[in-house]
């Protein structure tokens, strides 16, 4: 008899549990499905609620002056609502002040609806912006030579933890350029080697390790800056290689890393005559849309290299070039120097929308990709706590032993 009541009791409990689960499923279903029965994409709903100013702001990463929080930064956050900021050596004094600066930027941006990219160029070697108290990574060339002797994934993870400790969440690295020209004045030791497969192997491991920490990596400089004899910081390099040669060398590591999965790619200011006879890559519809989006089926965020570099500033109006980058398939433009460029860019995009040269729908697609990336890495404008730098430096020494 007792067994009978026990069985009734268990059956009753099971019915109650199933009923609760069914109720939970219905609640979740109602949250995901609209009144028309179609699934709702929360990001699309968020974009619908954004004003045009907010959307245009998400298309730009800005630089600023000084190494302390100031009125210029405050005004840009409140008036332009940018997607993020980039810091250079001029903005970084020491660990403590950099941590304080980024924390103040985050707090100020908390009134905006979208968290910030806080970015830096930290490749190690010659291109390093971190404070002097922090040990930087060796040159990429040296890392390439150590490929079989060190754990590259751990090295990338350390790089991410190092940047994260100051409050950064985005790094314009690793470099995937193949060092295929000994007369190249700008890449050289910034490349992992002269072989495309090696560059991919090393770069992809470092990228994976860095991404694991929550720091977004951005590979560069598509379609490749390795075989140039001019520095795009100063003037416009020209590459006349055939498409087949480019695919065998320069494009190879990018194609491989796209197949593996990469969140963001930076486009160079280089004229590749066999891909586009008139426009440098950053301004080329053929290269960004037909090659990168089309042939390589890349779904992530496309960033420009800095629009104030000589390759652009000596040949174009910077604001018009930045606008053309957006109109020809780019998502996120870097305006690293120049106090008013962000404001001028915003006004020019509004004018192009009014003139029907770019549609709101296209802007929304770009903003969607950017917000999707921020969501994937769970970006938040949350203050970063101070850590012991000695522990961080000791970790790098252990990896390189």
């Amino acid at each position: 008899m007792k067994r009978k009541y026990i069985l009734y009791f268990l059956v009753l409990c099971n019915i109650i549990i199933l009923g609760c689960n069914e109720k939970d499923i219905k609640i979740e279903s109602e949250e995901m499905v609209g009144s028309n029965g179609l699934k709702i994409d929360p990001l699309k709903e968020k974009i619908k609620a954004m004003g045009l100013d907010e959307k245009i702001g998400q298309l730009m990463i800005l630089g600023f002056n000084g190494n302390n929080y100031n009125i210029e930064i405050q005004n840009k956050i409140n008036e332009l609502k940018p997607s993020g900021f980039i810091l250079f050596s001029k903005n970084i004094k020491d660990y403590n002040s950099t941590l304080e600066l980024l924390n103040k930027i985050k707090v100020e941006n908390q009134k905006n609806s979208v968290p910030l990219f806080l970015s830096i160029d930290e490749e190690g070697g010659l291109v390093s912006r971190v404070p002097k108290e922090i040990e930087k990574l060796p040159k990429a060339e040296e890392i390439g030579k150590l490929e079989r002797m060190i754990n590259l994934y751990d090295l990338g993870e350390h790089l991410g933890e190092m940047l994260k400790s100051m409050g950064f969440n985005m790094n314009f690295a690793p470099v995937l350029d193949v060092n295929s020209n000994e007369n190249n004045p700008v890449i050289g030791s910034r490349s992992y080697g002269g072989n495309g497969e090696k560059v991919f192997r090393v770069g992809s491991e470092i990228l994976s390790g860095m991404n694991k920490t929550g720091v977004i990596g951005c590979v560069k400089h598509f379609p490749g800056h390795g075989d140039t004899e001019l520095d795009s910081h100063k003037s416009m390099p020209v590459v006349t290689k055939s498409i087949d040669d480019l695919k065998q060398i320069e494009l190879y590591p990018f194609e491989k890393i796209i197949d593996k999965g990469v969140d963001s790619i930076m486009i160079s200011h280089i004229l590749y005559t066999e891909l586009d006879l008139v426009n440098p890559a950053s301004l080329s519809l053929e290269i960004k849309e037909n090659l990168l989006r089309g042939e390589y089926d890349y779904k992530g965020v496309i960033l420009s290299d800095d629009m104030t570099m000589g390759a652009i500033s000596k040949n174009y109006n910077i604001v018009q070039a930045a606008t053309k980058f957006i109109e020809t398939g780019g998502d996120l433009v870097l305006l690293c120097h120049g106090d008013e460029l962000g404001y001028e860019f915003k006004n020019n995009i509004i004018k192009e929308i009014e003139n029907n040269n770019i549609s709101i729908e296209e802007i929304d697609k770009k903003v969607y990709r950017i917000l999707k990336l921020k969501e994937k890495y769970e970006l938040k404008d949350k203050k970063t706590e101070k850590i012991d730098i000695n522990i961080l430096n000791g970790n790098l020494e252990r990896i390189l032993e």
Side-chain angles (χ1 to χ4, degrees):
M1 192 69 177
K2 286 182 180 178
R3 286 183 62 189
K4 182 178 178 182
Y5 285 124
I6 291 170
L7 286 171
Y8 284 150
F9 177 74
L10 290 175
V11 170
L12 180 62
C13 288
N14 196 36
I15 291 169
I16 292 170
I17 290 168
L18 287 171
C20 289
N21 287 342
E22 187 178 353
K23 183 180 179 182
D24 290 342
I25 291 167
K26 284 180 180 177
I27 290 171
E28 184 181 350
S29 179
E30 285 171 1
E31 290 174 348
M32 299 297 294
V33 178
S35 58
N36 57 2
L38 299 175
K39 287 185 178 180
I40 294 172
D41 186 329
L43 277 186
K44 288 184 178 178
E45 295 302 306
K46 185 181 181 79
I47 292 169
K48 282 181 186 177
M50 292 171 70
L52 183 56
D53 285 3
E54 291 178 281
K55 292 178 182 180
I56 295 173
Q58 285 305 304
L59 306 181
M60 55 178 140
I61 288 180
L62 305 175
F64 57 86
N65 297 302
N67 51 32
N68 292 301
Y69 186 77
N70 55 52
I71 191 67
E72 177 196 350
I73 301 169
Q74 182 176 318
N75 287 342
K76 285 178 175 176
I77 290 173
N78 294 322
E79 295 168 6
L80 293 175
K81 298 175 174 55
S83 202
F85 289 101
I86 180 171
L87 276 69
F88 291 89
S89 296
K90 67 177 183 178
N91 307 121
I92 295 174
K93 183 168 59 176
D94 54 43
Y95 170 76
N96 287 333
S97 63
T98 304
L99 178 66
E100 181 182 5
L101 169 60
L102 292 180
N103 278 339
K104 286 183 177 179
I105 289 173
K106 291 175 187 176
V107 169
E108 184 66 32
N109 194 65
Q110 285 172 0
K111 63 186 72 172
N112 291 329
S113 63
V114 183
L116 291 165
F117 288 125
L118 293 169
S119 63
I120 190 170
D121 283 302
E122 188 54 42
E123 303 170 13
L126 298 176
V127 181
S128 176
R129 324 289 193 201
V130 295
K132 291 179 181 178
E133 310 101 291
I134 298 179
E135 294 290 335
K136 64 184 180 182
L137 269 64
K139 297 175 183 177
E141 180 182 46
E142 294 173 12
I143 293 172
K145 291 176 181 177
L146 294 171
E147 178 190 0
R148 303 297 182 188
M149 293 176 274
I150 62 173
N151 189 314
L152 296 169
Y153 184 92
D154 285 356
L155 189 63
E157 191 173 0
H158 167 80
L159 175 58
E161 292 294 349
M162 176 178 73
L163 297 176
K164 193 176 176 182
S165 74
M166 290 174 280
F168 291 103
N169 54 34
M170 186 176 226
N171 186 21
F172 299 130
V175 170
L176 290 191
D177 301 317
V178 181
N179 189 25
S180 54
N181 186 337
E182 61 182 14
N183 296 318
N184 192 314
V186 65
I187 299 302
S189 65
R190 294 171 65 192
S191 169
Y192 296 117
N195 175 277
E197 178 62 35
K198 179 174 187 171
V199 168
F200 161 70
R201 282 198 313 267
V202 178
S204 64
E205 282 297 298
I206 289 176
L207 178 68
S208 295
M210 181 168 56
N211 284 347
K212 182 191 175 185
T213 69
V215 173
I216 304 164
C218 177
V219 298
K220 59 187 184 184
H221 307 80
F222 187 89
H225 206 323
D227 191 10
T228 62
E229 296 190 6
L230 294 175
D231 181 353
S232 57
H233 293 89
K234 300 175 182 178
S235 53
M236 178 80 72
V238 178
V239 175
T240 59
K241 275 185 173 180
S242 69
I243 295 173
D244 287 341
D245 286 345
L246 287 171
K247 286 185 176 181
Q248 287 177 17
I249 302 174
E250 277 73 27
L251 286 166
Y252 181 86
F254 291 102
E255 182 180 6
K256 292 276 284 185
I257 211 155
I258 290 168
D259 289 342
K260 183 177 179 180
V262 63
D263 298 300
S264 62
I265 295 178
M266 180 179 287
I267 308 295
S268 66
H269 304 312
I270 300 173
L271 184 66
Y272 300 84
T273 57
E274 294 302 305
L275 297 176
D276 189 323
L277 191 58
V278 177
N279 301 292
S282 55
L283 307 183
S284 172
L285 183 71
E286 178 66 34
I287 291 173
K288 293 199 293 292
E289 285 289 348
N290 295 350
L291 178 63
L292 187 52
R293 294 277 189 220
E295 186 172 343
Y296 290 160
D297 195 30
Y298 175 62
K299 306 294 187 186
V301 174
I302 297 177
L303 296 94
S304 77
D305 209 341
D306 177 19
M307 281 291 170
T308 66
M309 289 164 58
I312 296 297
S313 62
K314 291 181 179 178
N315 296 285
Y316 304 91
N317 173 283
I318 293 173
V319 173
Q320 290 176 3
T323 304
K324 185 173 180 178
F325 167 78
I326 295 296
E327 291 176 340
T328 56
D331 298 315
L332 189 51
V333 65
L334 267 67
L335 297 166
C336 301
H337 309 282
D339 297 351
E340 300 301 318
L341 286 179
Y343 297 92
E344 294 171 14
F345 170 76
K346 171 185 167 182
N347 292 335
N348 209 47
I349 290 289
I350 291 172
K351 185 173 73 174
E352 291 298 284
I353 292 170
E354 290 171 348
N355 292 336
N356 296 318
N357 291 326
I358 186 168
S359 68
I360 294 292
E361 289 74 22
E362 280 302 310
I363 296 290
D364 286 352
K365 287 179 184 177
K366 298 171 192 298
V367 175
Y368 185 89
R369 281 191 284 264
I370 293 164
L371 296 191
K372 193 77 174 175
L373 179 56
K374 292 185 176 186
E375 180 186 68
K376 176 180 177 179
Y377 284 86
E378 300 179 349
L379 264 56
K380 293 181 176 65
D381 290 322
K382 182 181 176 183
K383 293 175 73 172
T384 302
E385 299 297 325
K386 185 177 178 180
I387 68 160
D388 186 341
I389 295 300
N390 293 322
I391 296 175
L392 200 63
N393 290 338
N395 186 50
L396 179 59
E397 291 177 15
R398 178 188 62 77
I399 294 169
L400 294 176
E401 281 179 352

